[in-house]
Amino acid sequence: MILLLNFLILVVGFVALIKGADWFVDGSAALAKNFKVPGVIIGLTVVAMGTSAPELAVSSVAALSGSNEIALSNVVGSNLFNLLMVLGICAIIHKVPVDEIIVKRDFPFSIIITALILLLTCGGSIFKMKIPELGMYDVAGNVRRYIGIILLVIFVCYIVFLIIDAKKHPIEEEEVKAMPVWKCFLLILIGVALIVGGGEAVVYSAKNIARFFGMSETLIGLTIIAFGTSLPELVTSIVAARKGETGLAVGNVVGSNIFNLLLILGVSSTIHPIAVISASMYDMTILIIVSTIVYLFCIKDRSISRREGIIMVLLYIADMAFAAIR
């Protein structure tokens, strides 16, 4: 009965996160439009941060409550899910074209940032192995507060660069729905409340479920929480793929992954330094490897084929199996 209640709290938390992020984006975008902020800047800042709000809420709450494994594994797990499952399923439904600027700029940047975080975190040490039989619970590295600040500085520089570049190369903007200022503020406040409350609910229930099944916080963050916080990207991408509108899929996934690494991990580790176990180090190494594989798929003929999509989904399944049995 207690387990069922925790699963119910988990589901309600995910629904609150997703709906809260949706209302936050709608309210913020409409408010920015009321103050004559260009649509492209809204998209690069408000909307992008809004879609990363579930991961940010979960990781920040986890950091504040000392559940460091959830904070880091949520970021790594979400990035793996976005890269392999969201893009993979899209490619299976419909061939996914890749924009040249994503191949030349954003995708390599995401791989470099992941590698930089791994190097800064482990400090050049050899990953330690956990040996439960000897009562050893290793700490293979740390995401210290200064690392979080560095990530946030890089994040701000990246956003500024995107805005400057967007102004130099303007594209056709999607019209934001107009609404009264009071309604904008109401949606923003309700959205923030749902995001914070949903984050609390997800972390609380996930920790209880992990304890019940004897799962580590790393595993549950890498699987259940990562899947739940990535649901908006998955649903949106599948709907777009079914309509044949897959042109922005790679850019959205890569952009979301960069936000997760810089903003979410930066905020979480600035709030509370994160002690990292070897399992998370291996997961970050795997993320670099699969990112490189998907990048090679992208540069081959500027698209991801159905066969490559199947390979990506199988890679994700294999990684989850490895995470479960290690």
Side-chain angles (χ1 to χ4, degrees):
M1 186 66 185
I2 295 176
L3 179 64
L4 187 61
L5 180 62
N6 278 301
F7 270 114
L8 182 61
I9 293 172
L10 186 70
V11 172
V12 171
F14 280 143
V15 171
L17 282 171
I18 294 167
K19 197 62 186 174
D22 189 35
W23 283 350
F24 173 79
V25 168
D26 288 346
S28 300
L31 183 65
K33 203 67 176 177
N34 282 334
F35 287 101
K36 311 299 181 184
V37 177
V40 66
I41 295 178
I42 297 172
L44 289 172
T45 54
V46 173
V47 176
M49 290 182 193
T51 55
S52 293
E55 287 92 340
L56 178 60
V58 169
S59 294
S60 298
V61 170
L64 285 168
S65 63
S67 301
N68 295 329
E69 294 176 50
I70 288 180
L72 179 61
S73 60
N74 176 39
V75 168
V76 177
S78 292
N79 282 16
L80 281 167
F81 187 87
N82 288 343
L83 201 61
L84 296 178
M85 287 296 285
V86 173
L87 274 187
I89 291 173
C90 282
I92 290 171
I93 296 172
H94 191 284
K95 186 177 181 179
V96 176
V98 184
D99 190 272
E100 187 173 355
I101 198 166
I102 300 296
V103 171
K104 290 183 176 179
R105 184 188 69 191
D106 300 296
F107 215 137
F109 181 67
S110 71
I111 298 173
I112 291 168
I113 287 298
T114 309
L116 176 65
I117 292 171
L118 180 62
L119 289 173
L120 288 173
T121 301
C122 70
S125 64
I126 302 299
F127 299 171
K128 301 173 184 177
M129 288 299 294
K130 183 169 62 174
I131 310 175
E133 294 82 359
L134 300 180
M136 294 175 64
Y137 189 79
D138 71 291
V139 177
N142 291 278
V143 186
R144 301 185 188 277
R145 188 168 277 114
Y146 80 87
I147 296 176
I149 294 170
I150 290 172
L151 295 179
L152 290 176
V153 170
I154 296 173
F155 172 75
V156 172
C157 293
Y158 179 69
I159 290 296
V160 170
F161 172 78
L162 286 182
I163 291 172
I164 292 172
D165 187 64
K167 284 187 173 182
K168 287 181 180 177
H169 308 94
I171 58 174
E172 186 177 342
E173 300 175 357
E174 184 179 346
E175 195 61 39
V176 176
K177 184 180 178 182
M179 65 176 71
V181 173
W182 68 265
K183 188 175 181 181
C184 297
F185 278 113
L186 182 62
L187 284 178
I188 291 170
L189 289 173
I190 295 174
V192 169
L194 287 174
I195 289 167
V196 173
E200 291 273 8
V202 167
V203 172
Y204 169 80
S205 56
K207 288 171 68 175
N208 289 337
I209 293 168
R211 290 193 192 102
F212 183 88
F213 287 107
M215 299 166 65
S216 68
E217 290 183 359
T218 297
L219 181 58
I220 201 161
L222 197 65
T223 54
I224 297 174
I225 295 179
F227 171 74
T229 54
S230 294
L231 273 177
E233 289 94 336
L234 178 62
V235 173
T236 302
S237 297
I238 289 176
V239 170
R242 289 183 65 182
K243 294 179 179 178
E245 299 171 358
T246 54
L248 296 176
V250 178
N252 289 342
V253 163
V254 173
S256 177
N257 284 7
I258 291 172
F259 268 60
N260 288 348
L261 290 166
L262 296 179
L263 175 63
I264 296 168
L265 194 55
V267 169
S268 301
S269 54
T270 301
I271 291 172
H272 191 288
I274 301 173
V276 186
I277 64 172
S278 59
S280 293
M281 293 291 197
Y282 291 119
D283 291 329
M284 289 183 71
T285 305
I286 291 170
L287 177 58
I288 294 171
I289 293 170
V290 299
S291 295
T292 304
I293 292 171
V294 176
Y295 179 64
L296 292 175
F297 288 163
C298 291
I299 63 175
K300 192 178 58 144
D301 56 2
R302 293 293 189 272
S303 65
I304 302 174
S305 67
R306 180 174 282 110
R307 183 178 64 180
E308 290 162 347
I310 293 171
I311 292 172
M312 289 158 65
V313 171
L314 291 176
L315 281 173
Y316 183 79
I317 294 170
D319 180 52
M320 290 302 100
F322 169 71
I325 64 176
R326 69 184 172 204

